[in-house]
Amino acid sequence: MPAPGLRTVAAAAGAALLARRALRRRIQAAPLWPMPALAEPISGRPRSRAPRLLVTAHEEIADGVVRVRLEGHGLPRWEPGAHLDVVLPSGLVRQYSLCGDPEDGSSYTFAARLVEDGRGGSREVHERLREGTEVRVRGPRNRFPLVGAASYAFVAGGIGVTPLLPMVRALTGRGAEWRLLYGGRTRASMPFLEELEKLDGGRGRVTVAAEDAVGRPDLDTWLAGVPEGAAVYCCGPEGLMAAVEERVPGVRTERFAPRAAAGGDGAFEVELRRSARTVTVPADSTVLDAVRAELPDTAYSCAQGFCGTCQQRVLEGEVDHRDELLTDAERADSMLICVSRARGDRLVLDM
């Protein structure tokens, strides 16, 4: 039988081992674990909380567009308009609108267009996501919900049709009134066009605006036919959304690129209070770039204001918020430093 002294030492060693394991678990669950001082940015989010899903289908459904099906178990239900954060094999995080069945708890479906001069995410989806590949996901989240209205009008440009498709399906099932203007280069490049025309059922609610379609209407002509009080939704290229916003106050839009600045960008200073440093953010750069020059381990991923990895607490100064993620409450004391800027000449961050 061990002596009392040996039992005490063994108990202390066991307690120390348990404490080290607990500390390791806390570190790995921290919001900024791991800190990516890497050439390829990664999300910086706790990977253990992002479920792994299996790619079970990867098919081209239009010129330059693939549809991807991810399968898992007990997946959260979602509402039309929701999107998913997909952590690609390289670590890049991209957001994709869900376009499958919201009631299917075993899979998520999204579509992606290949952007030849993009930042690599769409090419990775097209070339590296194959059946049998595992990916991590976060969400779904919905900042583009389908609201109650007497009627609906949808304006889609290219791949921007994906969040609108589940809305049209749902409204058709309810017998609600809707109409859709769908634009693209050619019919062959427009995903889900045949399904939308079948949902229309020959009632003339789907208007196709493509180079090889007959009778391409202009935006003003089409909008003139929208009933008063209709809920108007738009998703597509920035130019299209800006044009609809100019013509329709209160239009609901979904963006997956930074919103264009309302005014010019000026230089300003950012004090990093905990680091006792001050950096200058030039007019043609970002807070993230300026901060990483001093603190290279600062976590980031999408660099477009969607994933939330680079969110930082603001101690002083007024922020020009340009993200598409934070709530009003979160914007009261924090910012996404990849896209947002100062409204004045100075910000103070808790970094």
Side-chain angles (χ1 to χ4, degrees):
M1 180 175 180
L6 292 177
R7 288 200 300 271
T8 301
V9 172
L17 177 61
L18 292 174
R20 285 196 300 272
R21 289 177 176 173
L23 179 60
R24 187 181 302 116
R25 286 194 297 270
R26 288 182 61 189
I27 291 173
Q28 292 176 342
L32 298 182
W33 171 265
M35 293 291 281
L38 304 170
E40 291 261 356
I42 61 175
S43 88
R45 295 285 186 170
R47 295 186 175 187
S48 60
R49 298 179 187 175
R52 285 186 179 274
L53 302 184
L54 185 68
V55 177
T56 59
H58 183 283
E59 57 182 333
E60 185 172 21
I61 58 171
D63 291 348
V65 178
V66 296
R67 178 170 53 194
V68 180
R69 178 183 173 92
L70 307 175
E71 291 192 7
H73 299 286
L75 302 180
R77 300 297 196 271
W78 52 277
E79 297 292 332
H83 70 268
L84 193 70
D85 293 349
V86 179
V87 185
L88 298 172
S90 68
L92 293 175
V93 180
R94 294 295 183 264
Q95 291 70 38
Y96 297 102
S97 295
L98 292 171
C99 56
D101 180 1
E103 297 302 315
D104 182 1
S106 65
S107 71
Y108 292 136
T109 300
F110 68 89
R113 182 178 298 283
L114 178 62
V115 182
E116 295 287 355
D117 58 349
R119 298 178 301 126
S122 69
R123 182 167 296 281
E124 188 168 354
V125 169
H126 277 247
E127 297 179 357
R128 293 188 60 185
L129 290 194
R130 293 295 182 224
E131 293 183 18
T133 305
E134 281 192 333
V135 296
R136 293 184 183 274
V137 301
R138 297 199 298 263
R141 294 197 301 267
N142 197 344
R143 301 183 68 85
F144 194 48
L146 184 62
V147 300
S151 62
Y152 300 82
F154 302 102
V155 181
I159 197 64
V161 75
T162 51
L164 305 180
L165 176 62
M167 296 184 185
V168 172
R169 289 189 190 125
L171 294 173
T172 302
R174 300 174 197 169
E177 290 299 320
W178 59 269
R179 63 202 313 260
L180 167 70
L181 174 62
Y182 186 9
R185 294 188 306 277
T186 64
R187 289 180 64 93
S189 70
M190 300 167 69
F192 306 111
L193 179 55
E194 289 186 6
E195 179 180 351
L196 287 163
E197 291 178 331
K198 288 180 181 178
L199 288 170
D200 179 26
R203 296 178 58 184
R205 294 174 293 183
V206 175
T207 301
V208 178
E211 293 176 5
D212 56 356
V214 177
R216 293 180 296 159
D218 61 53
L219 187 58
D220 291 319
T221 300
W222 189 85
L223 288 174
V226 173
E228 186 176 353
V232 182
Y233 287 77
C234 180
C235 186
E238 179 61 32
L240 173 64
M241 290 193 289
V244 176
E245 286 176 323
E246 181 181 347
R247 292 163 172 78
V248 184
V251 60
R252 295 166 173 83
T253 60
E254 176 82 311
R255 283 178 165 83
F256 289 113
R259 183 184 294 269
D265 292 331
F268 57 95
E269 288 189 344
V270 176
E271 178 187 342
L272 311 178
R273 179 65 55 85
R274 283 189 287 116
S275 302
R277 307 182 195 186
T278 298
V279 299
T280 298
V281 181
D284 60 350
S285 188
T286 67
V287 177
L288 175 64
D289 289 339
V291 168
R292 280 179 58 83
E294 294 290 328
L295 305 176
D297 285 347
T298 300
Y300 73 105
S301 180
C302 76
Q304 291 198 323
F306 297 107
C307 72
T309 303
C310 68
Q311 182 176 347
Q312 298 293 338
R313 185 174 174 228
V314 179
L315 302 178
E316 297 176 23
E318 187 178 2
V319 179
D320 177 9
H321 292 284
R322 303 182 184 181
D323 66 275
E324 299 289 335
L325 177 70
L326 299 183
T327 64
D328 290 341
E330 290 170 328
R331 289 181 175 186
D333 63 358
S334 65
M335 67 183 290
L336 298 191
I337 63 174
C338 64
V339 292
S340 297
R341 303 180 68 81
R343 288 195 180 276
D345 56 10
R346 181 178 175 81
L347 290 174
V348 180
L349 302 182
D350 185 22
M351 299 182 71

